[in-house]
Amino acid sequence: METKTAKLLDGKALAAKIQQELAAEITQLQPQIGRPPGLAVLMVGDNPASAAYVRGKERACAKVGIASFGKHFPTETTQAELEEAIHTLNQDERVDGILVQLPLPNHLDAVSLLHQIHPDKDADGLHPVNMGKLMRGEPGLRSCTPAGVMRLLQEYEIPLRGKQATVVGRSILVGKPLALMLLEADATVTVAHSRSQDLAAITKNADILIAAVGRPELISAQMVKPGAVVVDVGINRITDVGGNSRLVGDVNFDSVAGVAEFITPVPGGVGPMTVAMLLQNTFSTYLRVTKKV
């Protein structure tokens, strides 16, 4: 019998397409507006993974014509110094988006810093004002990873209306906002998490299954409804007995690909979409600000 393999939801290809579209729009608008869009990524300390993420974001900005106003602070930087830097960027008319790269050193309060960012410049879409707008179904900046998932589903014309969508994970970064976005698209939404009893019974009902828990290969083929759409938000580094490390998601890709109709790869699925939505948010603010001028 021929082994069935799920079709890939290619986030990398879609992110490249979005970047091309943004680059074309920015090239056209910049002469009229007199400046490019601007994004400021603030990083504290020397976390190598964070440094790699920040470099990736700045490269993506350069590719589409967004100016970077990033700042790299030493580990011992105080809360007050960072707040002052954010306030300065809030006032800077060249800057359309601000984000603080997480995680921060332990002595800093990330939530309090997030509250200092002006909601209109909240490129990550995580400010309580923007979360509230999502809750109410009002226009506003949307959290990048869940917005990226929704854009990927839209690109592949995956129907959501009336479908059973299950989100495994309830973080403020992904699980909660994604559940609200799916509700807004008329899906019937279940949110499961680490305390849910009989997780397999819950996930097996899902037409659209989204894993966002940060547990390597938690979702196996036995937990997936045949023909489901599986989106893997997880990104976990695992090391085998030989000491070789590789990235895996929250879904056991090889086994689930034999059951699902669509699946996202890790890497190359949701990750590139998160960066694409960050650029899109920065561009949206740029458009809005310039219309007021």
Side-chain angles (χ1 to χ4, degrees):
M1 194 175 105
E2 192 188 335
T3 313
K4 176 185 170 299
T5 305
K7 298 189 229 15
L8 284 189
L9 296 170
D10 189 341
K12 195 173 176 184
L14 176 55
K17 176 181 154 182
I18 291 168
Q19 288 185 10
Q20 272 182 322
E21 288 167 0
L22 285 173
E25 289 185 81
I26 290 167
T27 303
Q28 195 185 348
L29 284 167
Q30 194 177 323
Q32 304 163 29
I33 290 161
R35 68 170 182 87
L39 175 66
V41 181
L42 305 184
M43 182 181 151
V44 185
D46 300 307
N47 179 319
S50 291
Y53 285 135
V54 170
R55 277 196 305 275
K57 286 167 184 170
E58 289 177 346
R59 270 200 306 272
C61 281
K63 206 182 277 182
V64 302
I66 292 175
S68 287
F69 294 91
K71 289 186 162 59
H72 186 174
F73 296 88
T75 306
E76 60 279 5
T77 304
T78 65
Q79 187 88 8
E81 286 169 320
L82 282 171
E83 287 184 5
E84 192 179 331
I86 290 170
H87 292 162
T88 303
L89 291 166
N90 281 338
Q91 302 300 320
D92 191 332
E93 289 180 357
R94 300 167 303 163
V95 175
D96 301 290
I98 304 167
L99 82 91
V100 176
Q101 183 66 44
L102 303 177
L104 289 170
N106 291 335
H107 68 282
L108 296 168
D109 180 350
V111 174
S112 163
L113 285 175
L114 176 65
H115 290 184
Q116 304 300 318
I117 296 172
H118 192 288
D120 288 347
K121 292 193 177 190
D122 166 35
D124 250 345
L126 295 174
H127 190 284
V129 167
N130 288 320
M131 285 287 189
K133 285 179 174 174
L134 170 61
M135 185 86 188
R136 294 175 59 89
E138 295 172 2
L141 293 169
R142 298 291 191 245
S143 181
C144 297
T145 300
V149 170
M150 296 301 288
R151 181 72 179 78
L152 197 51
L153 294 173
Q154 180 194 341
E155 181 72 10
Y156 284 85
E157 297 179 350
I158 289 167
L160 298 174
R161 176 170 291 173
K163 298 291 185 181
Q164 294 283 343
T166 298
V167 181
V168 186
R170 52 177 166 178
S171 74
I172 199 72
L173 285 172
V174 182
K176 285 176 184 165
L178 187 49
L180 289 166
M181 290 176 194
L182 287 161
L183 270 177
E184 208 170 10
D186 297 327
T188 301
V189 182
T190 302
V191 180
H193 45 80
S194 58
R195 303 281 187 279
S196 298
Q197 292 184 353
D198 197 356
L199 185 60
I202 301 169
T203 58
K204 195 97 174 139
N205 279 326
D207 301 308
I208 293 119
L209 175 60
I210 294 151
V213 272
R215 287 180 50 195
E217 301 182 328
L218 170 73
I219 306 293
S220 64
Q222 292 72 37
M223 299 168 75
V224 176
K225 178 182 186 175
V229 175
V230 179
V231 177
D232 191 348
V233 181
I235 187 149
N236 313 284
R237 189 170 287 284
I238 59 168
T239 308
D240 65 18
V241 285
N244 304 307
S245 79
R246 62 190 175 100
L247 291 178
V248 298
D250 291 352
V251 174
N252 185 312
F253 183 89
D254 293 340
S255 71
V256 172
V259 182
E261 185 183 354
F262 286 98
I263 191 168
T264 58
V266 175
V270 175
M273 290 304 299
T274 300
V275 177
M277 292 299 107
L278 174 67
L279 303 177
Q280 185 76 61
N281 277 349
T282 304
F283 180 70
S284 300
T285 299
Y286 172 69
L287 270 189
R288 203 170 58 241
V289 169
T290 50
K291 278 182 182 146
K292 290 178 189 166
V293 172

